[in-house]
Amino acid sequence: MKTDQDIRRSIEEKRQDYIDAALFIWEHPENIFEEYRSSACLAELLKKNGFRLREKAAGLDTAFVAEWGSGRPIIGYMGEFDALPGLSQEADCLTRKPVTEGGPGHGCGHHILGTAAVAAAVANKEFIESNKITGTVRFYGCPAEEGGAGKVLMAQAGLFDDCDAAVSWHPTDDNGIWSINFHAQQKVEFTFTGNEKKSANAKEAMQLFYLGAQNLRHHLDKCFVVRSGILKTGDEEGGYPLESKVLYAYRAHVSTQVEAAVARLHQVAEGAAMITGCTLKTEFKTGTTELLPNRTLERLMYDKYTATGTVEMTAPDWEYAARMHQALPENGERATFDLMRLLYAEQAEEIIEQVKGKAYNPYLYPFREIEIHKPGSTDICDVSWFTPTAQCVSACYVKDTLGHSWQEVAQGKSGICMKGMLVAAKVMALTGAELFRTPETLKAVRAEFSERRGQKEYRPLLAGAVTENREDTTCCENFSEIHFVGIEDDGLASRHTGSAGNLGGNALEAMQAFEMAMHVMGKYLSPLCRIRQRILETGDEDIVRVPCLAKLEISVEGDESGGRYIRRAAKGAALMTGCKAEFYSGE
């Protein structure tokens, strides 16, 4: 009968196969959804060890599922192999030196992530075969973790529905269980298309949108992380701005928060498009949910980590670590310790004493149920909504190395990196073996999953959904007053209790947005058009309550078409701020 020691020995006996595979993938980095050689490398290694292959899983060219055995339980291992764009870097180099200018590089360690999962799956196959245990070892070849959310697409295809538990890991500069949570996130691209004949200026639409999006940030919960980038301004070639593009990324604790915020951001974009007369296209590029943790599985994994130990460093390893540490930013250790204090609270100082001043961290962190959300996102969180999921981390890089950096790429072929990969493989293999060996352990893991999932609805933040802006149905009916109607708010008490949580509805902000819109539109009005306006009510007389009603008196003379522009500006401003615009004739 094979034991835990036999599992570790099996991985060591095949270590060169796994190192060769990892080095091949490092030397042939491929961007998301283009990982043909990397995917094939791992698939062939599994096939060589007797696994059945299902290629092009979920309709994705570089996704696959490999299985050995039959029946339940089904224990899954998550493999990734995509690289990061623009991070090509020579190995073991202390300065930035791309192998291929502008090419991809493995700045997140996916060349060893997928390979270690293969090693664990093969070791589990040998374990259940030798011990004549019924069950299925399954390996998921998952493409496009870096911005493509490959696992979300695989989940939509039902590939995780029958999996009894999933085991994974991630290369880092420390050792332990990733018992933290992750942010839900979504990236959205907004495209404004102008029309010179209709004076629809795409650059002005983008500028208004940016102002509205910045205003929206004040209404977001403090847990939000917001990133944005202008992809195209529309005036790159000096002509009339016919197209502009903006990319936004929203991260928050849970997917429902992200959904609500993105919906409001889309309204801001709709308002900007309406004001300027542009066409809007909204494309959801990618999105992932928050993690559904499983503490029972995490504790099991930690026990196996304790029994396995961390990387055994040799004198040459320490020399290499000291040398490569010179390439890191000077404040790296301080940043590392700040994060430790955030995550490990009163235990942090003990950890810091163990690793302070060292170029490499061989210390296994204590297990701790961390409720804090890590300011990052990953598509394995979506897997956790379908099956119990746990991840460990192994120190494959020198201490203080930042993920997604050229310094991490430079260390990707080192002996330390390969040793860390094999440590993770052993921890994952032992975790899976225990689930096969002791049904009561798996039952406890599944029970926690059922309790945590409960009646919660899985809400995937899917990529690919495209929406067009609503049609402007503005008419020319006469009016003399515009009222911006916001939310009803009873002041600080409700906001402190969370009962007045909202993402807009400030009538004064709507009035201010209207003024910006009129400034943009003014240059397109006929010279004969004269507009007079007077503020009747701002709504902010009570500085505690959110302004819920703002009023403007307005008149148009000389060109009746000016009324249409004003209506459009008011309706667009209301959309941008989550308010409603009402028009009154005053008769």
Side-chain angles (χ1 to χ4, degrees):
M1 176 177 287
K2 279 191 176 288
T3 64
D4 284 3
Q5 186 59 37
D6 293 323
I7 290 173
R8 287 191 282 264
R9 187 181 302 113
S10 168
I11 291 172
E12 283 296 327
E13 288 171 353
K14 293 182 173 65
R15 66 180 290 129
Q16 197 57 51
D17 287 347
Y18 303 135
I19 290 173
D20 289 346
L23 294 178
F24 176 86
I25 296 171
W26 187 95
E27 290 165 356
H28 300 87
E30 297 165 300
N31 287 323
I32 63 171
F33 296 121
E34 298 175 356
E35 318 95 325
Y36 294 100
R37 286 177 294 188
S38 304
S39 174
C41 174
L42 296 185
E44 284 302 313
L45 188 52
L46 286 158
K47 188 176 180 181
K48 173 184 170 183
N49 282 277
F51 280 71
R52 306 180 298 274
L53 291 182
R54 195 187 335 162
E55 298 178 313
K56 295 188 177 182
L60 304 173
D61 285 349
T62 54
F64 69 93
V65 175
E67 289 183 337
W68 191 93
S70 61
R72 308 296 281 265
I74 300 171
I75 306 302
Y77 291 91
M78 301 293 130
E80 299 168 13
F81 31 74
D82 55 320
L84 284 159
L87 274 186
S88 176
Q89 171 65 28
E90 285 193 10
D92 307 325
C93 189
L94 295 179
T95 58
R96 184 75 170 100
K97 193 174 181 182
V99 175
T100 303
E101 195 66 44
H106 279 284
C108 205
H110 291 183
H111 64 302
I112 52 176
L113 193 160
T115 307
V118 167
V122 171
N124 260 201
K125 171 251 183 181
E126 294 174 351
F127 173 79
I128 66 172
E129 182 181 29
S130 173
N131 294 334
K132 296 180 171 54
I133 295 173
T134 300
T136 303
V137 181
R138 180 181 289 171
F139 177 91
Y140 291 95
C142 307
E145 189 275 338
E146 300 290 0
K151 296 184 193 68
V152 180
L153 302 176
M154 295 171 78
Q156 294 303 297
L159 297 184
F160 305 113
D161 289 355
D162 62 346
C163 185
D164 290 298
V167 181
S168 190
W169 80 293
H170 206 286
T172 58
D173 66 337
D174 51 13
N175 306 284
I177 304 299
W178 252 359
S179 56
I180 54 178
N181 212 315
F182 292 84
H183 277 125
Q185 63 89 19
Q186 188 156 47
K187 294 178 183 176
V188 191
E189 184 177 292
F190 300 93
T191 302
F192 298 96
T193 303
N195 186 319
E196 187 171 5
K197 291 182 179 179
K198 296 182 179 180
S199 301
N201 187 310
K203 183 177 181 181
E204 289 178 346
M206 179 198 69
Q207 291 169 330
L208 277 175
F209 170 63
Y210 242 110
L211 289 170
Q214 289 300 312
N215 186 65
L216 176 59
R217 292 184 70 161
H218 299 301
H219 297 275
L220 299 177
D221 187 273
K222 63 182 180 181
C223 75
F224 270 83
V225 178
V226 179
R227 297 286 184 269
S228 64
I230 297 173
L231 305 180
K232 187 177 183 181
T233 63
D235 60 358
E236 288 86 354
E237 297 177 2
Y240 192 84
L242 294 177
E243 185 179 78
S244 60
K245 289 179 182 284
V246 181
L247 180 68
Y248 257 86
Y250 271 7
R251 283 177 171 159
H253 285 175
V254 295
S255 55
T256 51
Q257 290 176 302
V258 175
E259 274 188 310
V262 167
R264 275 289 297 116
L265 188 64
H266 179 250
Q267 284 186 313
V268 173
E270 281 189 305
M274 183 178 290
I275 290 167
T276 56
C278 290
T279 300
L280 168 70
K281 184 174 79 171
T282 305
E283 184 175 0
F284 300 93
K285 306 299 287 186
T286 183
T288 57
T289 65
E290 70 276 14
L291 183 74
L292 204 63
N294 193 288
R295 304 307 188 191
T296 307
L297 187 54
E298 289 171 357
R299 288 191 191 92
L300 169 62
M301 201 174 204
Y302 186 76
D303 290 343
K304 299 303 180 182
Y305 212 144
T306 303
T308 300
T310 61
V311 168
E312 294 183 5
M313 294 284 284
T314 63
D317 290 334
W318 282 110
E319 290 172 7
Y320 177 86
R323 176 176 173 271
M324 295 306 296
H325 201 273
Q326 298 173 45
L328 304 182
E330 291 183 5
N331 65 344
E333 185 173 74
R334 186 181 68 189
T336 297
F337 293 166
D338 285 346
L339 182 60
M340 283 184 188
R341 292 184 177 103
L342 175 67
L343 299 180
Y344 286 91
E346 71 281 355
Q347 295 175 300
E349 297 309 319
E350 176 188 342
I351 300 171
I352 289 171
E353 283 302 312
Q354 296 278 347
V355 300
K356 189 174 183 179
K358 293 182 178 179
Y360 177 80
N361 181 357
Y363 183 74
L364 177 61
Y365 291 174
F367 179 75
R368 182 184 180 93
E369 295 183 9
I370 301 173
E371 300 301 329
I372 293 172
H373 286 69
K374 180 181 173 67
S377 306
T378 173
D379 58 6
I380 200 167
C381 294
D382 288 76
V383 177
S384 73
W385 286 79
F386 292 86
T387 187
T389 304
Q391 303 178 86
C392 67
V393 293
S394 177
C396 301
Y397 304 101
V398 303
K399 185 170 66 67
D400 313 322
T401 300
L402 292 174
H404 292 207
S405 67
W406 66 262
Q407 291 95 333
E408 183 162 313
V409 185
Q411 300 172 48
K413 296 178 73 175
S414 72
I416 294 173
C417 198
M418 298 301 117
K419 287 181 179 181
M421 172 185 75
L422 295 175
V423 165
K426 294 169 187 175
V427 174
M428 289 190 291
L430 294 175
T431 303
E434 195 64 38
L435 296 174
F436 280 116
R437 181 166 44 209
T438 54
E440 60 272 19
T441 300
L442 180 58
K443 184 178 180 181
V445 168
R446 296 288 307 177
E448 181 182 342
F449 171 74
S450 297
E451 182 179 351
R452 284 186 180 273
R453 178 69 194 269
Q455 299 301 312
K456 292 179 182 176
E457 181 185 3
Y458 169 64
R459 301 180 65 86
L461 300 171
L462 289 171
V466 177
T467 62
E468 304 289 344
N469 59 305
R470 66 187 74 186
E471 183 180 356
D472 177 21
T473 56
T474 298
C475 63
C476 286
E477 293 178 4
N478 292 329
F479 58 90
S480 59
E481 286 188 17
I482 302 173
H483 295 185
F484 293 104
V485 182
I487 64 165
E488 290 288 341
D489 180 79
D490 62 357
L492 291 175
S494 63
R495 288 200 291 281
H496 283 167
T497 60
S499 61
N502 66 85
L503 293 171
N506 186 314
L508 179 58
E509 290 175 355
M511 181 183 287
Q512 292 166 338
F514 173 73
E515 292 299 327
M516 288 191 297
M518 290 302 296
H519 176 74
V520 169
M521 285 186 151
K523 56 185 150 183
Y524 302 120
L525 294 174
S526 164
L528 301 176
C529 185
R530 295 185 301 279
I531 298 174
R532 293 184 175 87
Q533 62 184 58
R534 181 167 66 95
I535 296 174
L536 301 177
E537 188 175 330
T538 62
D540 64 348
E541 293 81 5
D542 180 349
I543 62 172
V544 173
R545 296 173 184 268
V546 173
C548 64
L549 181 63
K551 298 180 181 180
L552 278 171
E553 183 180 75
I554 197 157
S555 64
V556 182
E557 299 175 0
D559 186 349
E560 292 186 357
S561 67
R564 177 182 286 110
Y565 281 103
I566 293 171
R567 274 184 178 270
R568 206 169 79 189
K571 290 170 71 175
L575 265 177
M576 289 177 68
T577 54
C579 293
K580 182 180 179 182
E582 297 178 347
F583 303 89
Y584 295 90
S585 65
E587 297 176 357

